[in-house]
Amino acid sequence: LLIYLNGKFVPKDEAKVSVYDHGFLYGDGVFEGIRAYNGRVFKLKEHVDRLYDSAKAIAMDIPVTREEMTEIILEALRKNNLKDAYIRPIVSRGIGDLGLDPRKCGKPSVIVIAQGWGAMYGDLYEVGLTGVSVCVRRNAPDALSPNIKSLNYLNNILAKIEANEKGGDEAIFLDHNGFVCEGSGDNIFVVKDDRVLTPFTISNLKGITRATAIELLDEMGYKVIESNLGLFDLYTADEIFVTGTAAESAPVTRLDGRVIGTGKPGPLTMKMVEAFAKITQSTGTQ
Ligand code: PLP
């Protein structure tokens, strides 16, 4: 496997960064998660744009242009002969000293890892995921905005640990007011009485799959309503599904010991899973 590291492709074993890189010392950096299906990169421009927006929000200049980044991502696939892949661009603040000050860091480090990848949840797409609402809260938008896809994913990891301990497949985050935000790595949708609802993006990552889902649902005649949602709305939903680059579109059929709807993936969720598979196979950059 060849990995892009600061200007060149190097073998996996040689793809190393300094212990003084502030990405390692402080989680100071940003990343993306992108998928390629059948040799085509899904929503490449959207992911590259979000990477640069995340960098802008943490006042970091990515030392390659968007066009160069796009080409590096495509080259990472070509060099490794990958058709179905997960691609992880990472830009960290770079090598500094042990202090926090980013002014001491030289150039940001740019890394792109691409590797083979299949469906994340295996058999669970048919039975549905078990969700667990967790105590750890999503970052508040006034602090480290959840819209920044930063290398600081500790609260997401804590959420995952909590879900693991409670036997769940995915954690559901609430914000500090108790409103539902999203999963640890995916956005959430609720179907109730033929209406589809999803939380506002102020409290969660503006998911690219979320945006795709909204478009697909629109084509199916459902206008998705952005709304504040509480756990009550989730427990009493007809259907719940999550969307994300890694998860794609996946049903949630159990949450905190409650059965959601019939306990089986609902009809609209299944239509979404199908529509999503179709769009990922038929569009994308190569
Ligand atoms: N929420 C979080 C916290 C994520 O890390 C991700 C994954 O990227 C998502 C949601 C889903 O976003 P996307 O559909 O752009 O992958």
Side-chain angles (χ1 to χ4, degrees), residues 197-217:
L197 303 120
T198 192
F200 295 104
T201 54
I202 183 86
S203 69
N204 51 57
L205 187 76
K206 283 185 187 134
I208 291 161
T209 321
R210 175 188 184 277
T212 305
I214 291 173
E215 278 172 30
L216 292 172
L217 286 159

Side-chain angles (χ1 to χ4, degrees), residues 95-174:
I95 299 166
D97 62 15
L98 290 181
L100 282 174
D101 195 338
R103 289 176 301 186
K104 302 267 180 65
C105 299
K107 238 167 82 172
S109 307
V110 179
I111 295 152
V112 176
I113 307 168
Q115 62 181 46
W117 183 274
M120 177 178 174
Y121 284 121
D123 300 341
L124 288 174
Y125 293 94
E126 276 138 54
V127 281
L129 310 182
T130 297
V132 174
S133 67
V134 294
C135 301
V136 57
R137 294 293 177 253
R138 191 66 171 108
N139 311 57
D142 61 345
L144 176 64
S145 165
N147 295 158
I148 304 171
K149 205 162 162 67
S150 87
L151 293 180
N152 251 290
Y153 252 45
L154 250 191
N155 67 341
N156 303 59
I157 291 162
L158 291 176
K160 196 80 196 162
I161 290 170
E162 216 178 310
N164 289 346
E165 278 182 356
K166 292 176 178 159
D169 304 305
E170 179 54 313
I172 305 298
F173 270 123
L174 308 181

